[in-house]
Amino acid sequence: MSDHTNPRLLPLLRPVGHGGRTPMTCLYRCGNACDHPVPNQSDNAYFGDLMAAGGDVEPSATAGVSRRGVVRAGALGALVLGFGGAVAGGAPALAATGETRTSGGTPPGALKGRPGSGALTFKPIPPNTLDSLVVPNGYDHAVVIRWGEPVLPDGPELDVHHQTGARQSKQFGYNNDFLAVLPLDKRGRSALLWSNHEYTNEELMFPGFTNHDALTVDQVRAAMAAHGGSVVELERVGDSGQWTVVRNGRRPYNRRITALATTFELTGPAAGSDLLKTAADPRGRTVIGMLNNCAGGVTPWGTILSGEENFNQYFVGGDAAPEALKPTLARYGVSTTARYPSGSRKWDRADERFDLALHPNEAHRFGWIVEVDPYDPESTPRKHTAMGRFKHEGANVIVARDGRVAAYMGDDERFDYLYKFVSDKKMMKGDSRAARRHNLSLLESGTLYVAKLEFTSAGEIDGSGKLPSDGAFNGTGRWIKLVSGNRSYVPGMTAADVLTFARVAGDKVGATKMDRPEDVQPNPVNGKIYAALTNNSNRGVGSNAAADEANPRRANRHGQIFEITEDRGDHTAETFSWSLPIVCGDPADPATYFAGYDKSKVSPISCPDNVAFDRAGNLWIATDGNALGSNDGLFATAIEGPERGHLKQFLTVPVGAETCGPFITEDERSVFVAVQHPGEIDRASIDNPASTWPDGDFAKPSVVCTWRLDGGHIGS
């Protein structure tokens, strides 16, 4: 623990692993994926055959511990949710409350226009390496909830020396990622916070940690329970943009969903298939837990979508799995050559289902999109097999012109794919129970597509990042149909095969390999789709695919933003055009591009991870693994008009942390962010922390709320 009388000096620079990530991040986030062969060994055509000063800084250091905060992206935006008035698909009331609860899931088309001008007038903050959350002058922030705080009314306070699965199952989990804030009343006074809990850092959790074999079985169970998600009731502070956790009373909506014990229902064409059956679940329809949930979305009917990402690293015994399964296990990053791959948490010590030598199908039950109803604490979360299985960053839904819904998804791996799901059924409008019941079934059946691109200036791309002669990185594309309902469009694969092994199906149809497509979200104002392509330092290196128009730089360390315009503005269309509005990095580097804007006025940005939108359609970008040497942060830019490309940094997170879950409330008075893995630096531990944020003792992943001191709209 830290000595407050003689505080240790914190490191200003972190040791760098792959890209801008630290070795500890590489270990726990993705199981050292970059040290292993690229899972995609297909030969289909590849995706295309900091230190500038900013403005005034307000670290809010004098405000005390409560003034340190967080943010991370997801959901239809932040599908900017409404605080006031009934909306489509409203949730039913709990009988005990006497109040009508609304889902807040306003369809994107209703979000045009905003209370303010839409101009981003805040002064950008400069890059920094401070161990605090930094916001612009005129703003403040506060921690909403930390790892280990009670979620259930009978939940205990955090005691790092006595962590058990039972205790953690009642507390806020670790490494908060995707966030959503859903209204509970029409006055905008109360709301529900949803948070994913992606993964754990055992060194930063357990005092005296030496290795995973030395943990007690109950400590392993505590780590399992720290994965999953939380639902927490919030209340507004006065008439400000600040929110705080409700500490007293029944709190009937509060809930913990864990990898340890929560039951999930499988839906869709693959449910019940032989690929999903296990000894514990011979029907192949019930799963215990969700794993490595990264980003997500909020549906227009007010439920949460959460994406299971790097689930592969939780399984052992792949070397003894059936030979017939080894190719597909390897395609998903599961080691088939070692019993315990590097970074293994060895959860088989607490639950043998994570041993593929004994239960080879268990891995097939993870990697799905999960739907959770935060308004019904007794509901069973569902894993929707119709949406395909891969390393989901998240899923974000928009209502198409004909009333069906389209969900956009990225597979966060080097050289993997972009996907789209279109429902069979149309969304039912209104707040009735019948409408809600109908809408809860929309993601159970539909058509799954994968993207294939074509390029306008392929012959001009030399890997330097030089802009083509036509002044744009752009092209066209089409959505290739993989499966519709129970019908497969991939030769040699059944519908269940295609959905369970969507990556293999994408290989077979020649989908375009992309550079770590992460969050993919519709802009609720212009209807275009924006994807964060985080980075790919292997681009053009050795025998890896060369630069192309969609990935115009070799050894791409900084990533880019990818924009899709569906033909005729129809989100059910099978053709589209695309462009790169932003190619990230230091604006002084000629290999960067900011939609043609004057780069001397632009903030440096590296490794875009999540995107969100405000009511004016401005693009907000959260970063993960800044390779320019600064802490990660949240950025914003107009995406249309004369300010298009004028990117400005809005906040930075503490040392070693990632910016997650940016969520902007519809009244635009609050931005929530998840500060994930603060102090995640090689050789750091809870006993010798690299960060002491937010409380001055040891690092704790936390959710932060940011607001304007004058009560105005965020960003303007």
Side-chain angles (χ1 to χ4, degrees):
M1 306 304 169
S2 63
D3 182 344
H4 293 285
T5 61
N6 294 289
R8 65 176 52 84
L9 295 177
L10 298 172
L12 292 181
L13 294 176
R14 54 191 179 191
V16 175
H18 301 285
R21 287 180 167 179
T22 68
M24 188 185 292
T25 303
C26 294
L27 177 68
Y28 286 119
R29 166 64 61 77
C30 57
N32 288 322
C34 292
D35 290 337
H36 302 292
V38 173
N40 191 349
Q41 297 294 320
S42 65
D43 59 2
N44 53 321
Y46 190 76
F47 191 35
D49 270 320
L50 176 324
M51 295 301 156
D56 298 326
V57 179
E58 182 175 306
S60 299
T62 60
V65 166
S66 66
R67 297 304 193 193
R68 300 178 181 175
V70 166
V71 185
R72 173 172 203 162
L76 228 124
L79 157 70
V80 202
L81 291 184
F83 285 94
V87 293
L94 285 183
T97 66
E99 288 190 51
T100 300
R101 309 303 195 186
T102 59
S103 74
T106 308
L111 296 177
K112 294 181 180 179
R114 90 183 245 176
S117 67
L120 295 168
T121 59
F122 67 90
K123 287 186 177 182
I125 65 169
N128 66 81
T129 54
L130 299 173
D131 191 37
S132 61
L133 193 133
V134 182
V135 298
N137 278 349
Y139 287 81
D140 205 348
H141 66 281
V143 171
V144 177
I145 190 168
R146 303 160 174 77
W147 163 53
E149 290 189 26
V151 168
L152 302 187
D154 62 343
E157 296 290 341
L158 176 65
D159 180 347
V160 295
H161 297 283
H162 297 90
Q163 298 185 62
T164 68
R167 292 172 65 90
Q168 178 64 82
S169 294
K170 297 180 179 182
Q171 298 167 327
F172 196 67
Y174 204 77
N175 274 342
N176 30 232
D177 198 294
F178 164 67
L179 302 175
V181 180
L182 298 95
L184 268 180
D185 70 341
K186 296 182 179 182
R187 304 184 306 276
R189 307 298 307 174
S190 60
L192 293 179
L193 170 71
W194 165 270
S195 173
N196 284 355
H197 300 297
E198 186 178 5
Y199 67 99
T200 49
N201 297 82
E202 278 75 358
E203 286 98 328
L204 306 183
M205 295 175 65
F206 299 105
F209 176 88
T210 56
N211 58 60
H212 288 86
D213 288 314
L215 292 175
T216 67
V217 170
D218 216 4
Q219 285 176 317
V220 175
R221 292 181 180 276
M224 295 171 69
H227 288 66
S230 294
V231 180
V232 183
E233 189 169 347
L234 304 180
E235 58 186 354
R236 188 185 291 274
V237 177
D239 192 36
S240 72
Q242 183 181 3
W243 293 79
T244 189
V245 170
V246 175
R247 302 289 181 184
N248 300 303
R250 290 181 56 241
R251 292 160 282 171
Y253 296 97
N254 283 21
R255 184 180 189 183
R256 272 304 320 278
I257 290 172
T258 74
L260 179 64
T262 304
T263 298
F264 291 75
E265 176 190 356
L266 290 161
T267 76
S273 74
D274 288 344
L275 291 168
L276 298 181
K277 294 177 180 177
T278 65
D281 177 28
R283 296 177 63 246
R285 294 186 176 275
T286 304
V287 179
I288 301 300
M290 63 184 192
L291 293 178
N292 209 260
N293 290 70
C294 193
V298 179
T299 67
W301 49 95
T303 58
I304 299 296
L305 300 183
S306 178
E308 295 184 296
E309 193 182 20
N310 293 302
F311 62 89
N312 56 296
Q313 62 184 302
Y314 298 89
F315 292 93
V316 306
D319 59 332
E323 291 297 320
L325 287 182
K326 284 187 176 181
T328 51
L329 288 172
R331 182 65 180 87
Y332 280 79
V334 176
S335 173
T336 57
T337 60
R339 173 161 179 78
Y340 291 109
S342 65
S344 172
R345 290 171 172 78
K346 299 186 177 180
W347 282 8
D348 59 309
R349 297 177 56 221
D351 192 334
E352 71 171 30
R353 66 192 171 100
F354 292 99
D355 185 348
L356 298 179
L358 300 175
H359 305 284
N361 280 352
E362 189 68 23
H364 301 159
R365 294 148 66 84
F366 298 89
W368 303 101
I369 290 296
V370 178
E371 185 172 14
V372 180
D373 186 351
Y375 293 103
D376 184 356
E378 301 302 320
S379 61
T380 300
R382 295 170 296 153
K383 298 190 178 188
H384 291 308
T385 69
M387 301 180 77
R389 172 176 168 267
F390 41 92
K391 291 187 180 180
H392 286 278
E393 175 77 5
N396 291 280
V397 170
I398 191 167
V399 182
R401 290 174 179 172
D402 68 358
R404 291 184 291 166
V405 299
Y408 293 86
M409 301 170 286
D411 186 348
D412 183 8
E413 189 89 65
R414 295 167 295 161
F415 312 128
D416 260 295
Y417 309 134
L418 280 169
Y419 295 84
K420 178 172 76 169
F421 170 85
V422 177
S423 67
D424 285 337
K425 295 186 287 188
K426 297 180 180 181
M427 178 175 159
M428 185 180 295
K429 297 180 180 180
D431 296 339
S432 69
R433 291 181 181 271
R436 185 168 179 78
R437 186 165 51 249
H438 170 84
N439 293 335
L440 284 168
S441 71
L442 289 179
L443 303 180
E444 296 180 0
S445 62
T447 302
L448 182 66
Y449 300 88
V450 68
K452 183 177 178 64
L453 305 184
E454 296 179 357
F455 308 98
T456 300
S457 306
E460 298 185 43
I461 304 301
D462 61 6
S464 68
K466 180 181 178 181
L467 200 64
S469 58
D470 66 356
F473 300 109
N474 59 15
T476 59
R478 59 191 178 95
W479 295 108
I480 301 175
K481 189 179 296 185
L482 297 177
V483 64
S484 186
N486 288 303
R487 180 182 177 184
S488 167
Y489 288 85
V490 183
M493 300 182 76
T494 66
D497 292 339
V498 170
L499 295 171
T500 307
F501 307 123
R503 283 184 166 183
V504 177
D507 298 343
K508 286 179 175 288
V509 302
T512 297
K513 300 178 182 179
M514 306 187 67
D515 287 352
R516 290 190 58 207
E518 297 212 27
D519 199 19
V520 189
Q521 295 205 27
N523 184 320
V525 175
N526 66 13
K528 296 182 180 183
I529 313 304
Y530 294 83
L533 305 185
T534 298
N535 55 40
N536 187 350
S537 58
N538 286 344
R539 163 68 70 166
V541 176
S543 61
N544 292 303
D548 59 38
E549 192 164 2
N551 303 270
R553 296 174 296 187
R554 67 176 64 90
N556 175 18
R557 299 175 62 224
H558 302 299
Q560 57 260 23
I561 299 296
F562 187 78
E563 179 185 79
I564 292 174
T565 303
E566 298 275 28
D567 283 355
R568 305 176 305 282
D570 180 2
H571 292 93
T572 69
E574 296 188 356
T575 53
F576 59 88
S577 58
W578 65 267
S579 67
L580 298 181
I582 296 175
V583 179
C584 299
D586 187 339
D589 183 346
T592 57
Y593 178 70
F594 294 86
Y597 199 84
D598 180 354
K599 294 202 294 181
S600 68
K601 301 178 180 178
V602 172
S603 294
I605 182 174
S606 177
C607 301
D609 187 3
N610 291 100
V611 295
F613 300 95
D614 58 30
R615 285 178 62 93
N618 293 315
L619 175 66
W620 293 70
I621 305 169
T623 65
D624 170 18
N626 190 329
L628 293 171
S630 171
N631 292 351
D632 279 311
L634 181 64
F635 302 75
T637 180
I639 205 64
E640 294 182 337
E643 289 293 291
R644 173 178 165 89
H646 187 186
L647 185 84
K648 300 197 291 185
Q649 183 155 13
F650 180 75
L651 62 75
T652 54
V653 292
V655 169
E658 172 190 347
T659 315
C660 297
F663 189 92
I664 306 166
T665 57
E666 189 193 25
D667 64 10
E668 298 198 316
R669 297 176 64 197
S670 315
V671 173
F672 286 78
V673 292
V675 176
Q676 192 185 77
H677 59 74
E680 188 179 67
I681 291 177
D682 200 32
R683 297 183 296 278
S685 68
I686 192 171
D687 304 299
N688 184 32
S691 169
T692 60
W693 184 91
D695 298 323
D697 47 8
F698 54 89
K700 304 178 188 74
S702 304
V703 174
V704 172
C705 177
T706 302
W707 67 95
R708 270 179 55 163
L709 292 170
D710 64 3
H713 303 119
I714 292 288
S716 63

